[in-house]
Amino acid sequence: MTISETWLLPDGVADVLPEQAQVVETLRRAALDFLAVRGYQLVYTPFIEYIESLSSLSESNQDLDLVTFKVIDQLSGRLLGVRADMTPQVARIDAHVRPIEGVARYCYAGTVLHTKPQNFNATRAPLQLGAELYGHDSIEADVEMIDVMLALIEHTHTLDGAHLDLGHVGLFRSLVKRAGLNKNTENQLSDLYQRKALPELEEFTKDLAMGADFYALGRYASDLDALQTHLSQDILNDIDFKNAFDALKSTLTQIQSRWSNLNIGIDVIELRSYHYHTGLMYAIYAPNRAAPLAQGGRYDGIGEHFGRARPATGFSCDLYALGATQFVEIETIVAPKGSEQDLLKAIADARLNGLRVVQLLGNDDLSSVPYATHQMVSQNGQWVIEKI
């Protein structure tokens, strides 16, 4: 690489410049403070671990394994993974490092690394912030996580025009089990659902066991009443399907009562990370944005890899994406050079009030601080701040 190219960064990786860094850091602090008062305890996890530790999810979620960078440890010769998601690490803490009894609530914020961008125009190094609840398998735990997620977005961003999507992988999973489908057919159906390909779905399910139910699941994915009307009594009597259906309806009712002004939709065939999630799934979207602001769901048994399977639910978001449309002008006050006590006190007082003050050096003038917005000048023996 020539000298002229050494400043270039890999695709999907970018510097965060002062204005955006200010936004992101403000979001991070506000979010972690918000989660703290909700009882979520902050944890820091290592950027890199033995791949076996990170594989607690990748065994059931090949997508996560594919986006995990892997390197050889020069000390041990073992394979290491750079974290692509912090949930496996928090699961390890809950199961092995800090195995407390009862409910555990954790939150985190840190950079993760992906081999490929996960969404259009997304970074490969998101600043992931999330919250997770371990040790409770009730609907109330899922409702708490959704409520915390929505309140966090409202606190740090905005819910104006936002849309919440709710789903439950148990509907599709129990129908697949009831019909006795093989893995290949299951994957084909999942792909059709993900693409919302109704004509193809109708053709594919014609000769399929319980095909009418599979088609109804796709055709009426956003209307629980219509879906219930068009499903066979056979699947409606299935205990696993019934539990998932009732859980989804109950969650919808409870979230509507808490967030009456929020636009809430149902999508029972939104099967992102299908093999990873075990129950309710949820995502919050902003207008004119394809990727969610935040998303999460239930992933029971995640700690089994570490010897302690526990029910779990949680959500995460990318702070870079969350703050992408927010801009803040960084006001910078330039003070003249000098060591007079009144000048130094004026600078100190301004900084104590949270103002950003830069004092000139040597023979510098205002042109040496191109991002300056204000200056400190002496008027009638007093130091005052003027807009440039």
Side-chain angles (χ1 to χ4, degrees):
M1 179 180 290
T2 65
I3 292 177
S4 63
E5 295 176 322
T6 55
W7 63 275
L8 297 176
L9 293 173
D11 288 344
V13 179
D15 295 309
V16 183
L17 300 182
E19 293 79 7
Q20 187 64 17
Q22 175 98 353
V23 169
V24 171
E25 180 60 15
T26 300
L27 282 173
R28 188 190 68 84
R29 294 178 187 178
L32 291 178
D33 287 345
F34 173 86
L35 291 170
V37 300
R38 290 291 190 113
Y40 289 81
Q41 297 177 293
L42 179 64
V43 293
Y44 290 104
T45 61
F47 190 63
I48 195 164
E49 292 196 40
Y50 291 122
I51 195 65
E52 294 87 352
S53 179
L54 297 177
S55 66
S56 61
L57 283 184
S58 59
E59 287 177 352
S60 58
N61 184 7
Q62 188 180 11
D63 291 340
L64 181 60
D65 184 56
L66 290 174
V67 298
T68 301
F69 273 97
K70 301 175 181 70
V71 297
I72 298 297
D73 183 9
Q74 296 299 307
L75 294 179
S76 66
R78 293 174 62 183
L79 190 62
L80 301 177
V82 180
R83 66 185 183 198
D85 181 14
M86 295 178 74
T87 293
Q89 299 180 300
V90 181
R92 173 178 54 77
I93 290 173
D94 177 73
H96 187 70
V97 180
R98 193 174 182 264
I100 64 173
E101 296 299 324
V103 175
R105 292 175 172 86
Y106 297 108
C107 64
Y108 53 82
T111 300
V112 296
L113 186 64
H114 297 154
T115 55
K116 298 179 180 179
Q118 295 304 284
N119 296 296
F120 174 73
N121 209 27
T123 174
R124 288 200 291 167
L127 179 53
Q128 187 183 57
L129 179 137
E132 305 189 4
L133 187 154
Y134 291 83
H136 218 280
D137 61 359
S138 66
I139 293 175
E140 287 76 14
D142 291 308
V143 170
E144 175 179 323
M145 293 308 307
I146 298 171
D147 184 60
V148 170
M149 179 184 74
L150 294 174
L152 176 65
I153 297 299
E154 183 180 56
H155 182 69
T156 60
H157 192 264
T158 179
L159 282 178
D160 291 345
H163 177 92
L164 176 68
D165 269 356
L166 295 176
H168 198 301
V169 298
L171 298 176
F172 177 59
R173 189 166 289 166
S174 57
L175 184 51
V176 166
K177 181 179 178 181
R178 188 81 173 182
L181 302 186
N182 59 43
K183 184 61 66 175
N184 181 57
T185 303
E186 177 183 354
N187 290 336
Q188 287 179 280
L189 276 169
S190 176
D191 175 66
L192 291 172
Y193 285 146
Q194 286 291 87
R195 293 191 288 110
K196 314 295 186 192
L198 284 179
E200 293 178 56
L201 179 68
E202 183 177 22
E203 182 66 26
F204 186 81
T205 56
K206 277 183 178 178
D207 301 318
L208 202 63
M210 304 187 74
D213 288 320
F214 282 110
Y215 178 71
L217 197 68
R219 177 68 178 81
Y220 305 102
S222 60
D223 187 337
L224 291 181
D225 292 332
L227 176 61
Q228 188 170 17
T229 300
H230 288 84
L231 288 171
S232 69
Q233 203 59 47
D234 185 15
I235 191 60
L236 289 174
N237 290 335
D238 182 272
I239 187 62
D240 292 333
F241 189 94
K242 185 177 185 303
N243 288 340
F245 195 90
D246 291 345
L248 185 55
K249 288 191 70 173
S250 177
T251 302
L252 174 62
T253 299
Q254 293 190 52
I255 296 300
Q256 285 175 329
S257 68
R258 295 181 183 218
W259 298 87
S260 57
N261 295 324
L262 182 66
N263 183 16
I264 305 175
I266 296 292
D267 189 350
V268 299
I269 57 170
E270 173 51 64
L271 300 175
R272 55 182 168 77
S273 303
Y274 162 64
H275 297 290
Y276 161 35
H277 288 292
T278 61
L280 278 162
M281 298 168 61
Y282 36 89
I284 183 73
Y285 292 86
N288 303 316
R289 281 189 53 168
L293 292 173
Q295 60 186 341
R298 178 162 288 278
Y299 35 89
D300 291 341
I302 187 175
E304 183 177 5
H305 181 79
F306 304 106
R308 189 182 186 224
R310 293 243 283 171
T313 180
F315 71 88
S316 65
C317 62
D318 176 12
L319 286 178
Y320 292 142
L322 199 60
T325 59
Q326 301 181 43
F327 175 81
V328 59
E329 181 183 12
I330 303 176
E331 294 188 348
T332 302
I333 303 164
V334 177
K337 61 185 176 182
S339 57
E340 297 85 352
Q341 288 302 307
D342 61 337
L343 173 59
L344 296 181
K345 185 178 185 306
I347 293 173
D349 289 345
R351 289 171 175 166
L352 282 174
N353 289 325
L355 301 176
R356 184 194 306 264
V357 183
V358 174
Q359 189 174 21
L360 294 177
L361 304 172
N363 295 319
D364 288 346
D365 55 25
L366 276 176
S367 64
S368 68
V369 189
Y371 48 88
T373 58
H374 296 73
Q375 63 179 334
M376 188 176 287
V377 298
S378 179
Q379 290 183 1
N380 301 321
Q382 298 292 325
W383 289 101
V384 297
I385 297 171
E386 293 182 346
K387 189 173 180 62
I388 297 175

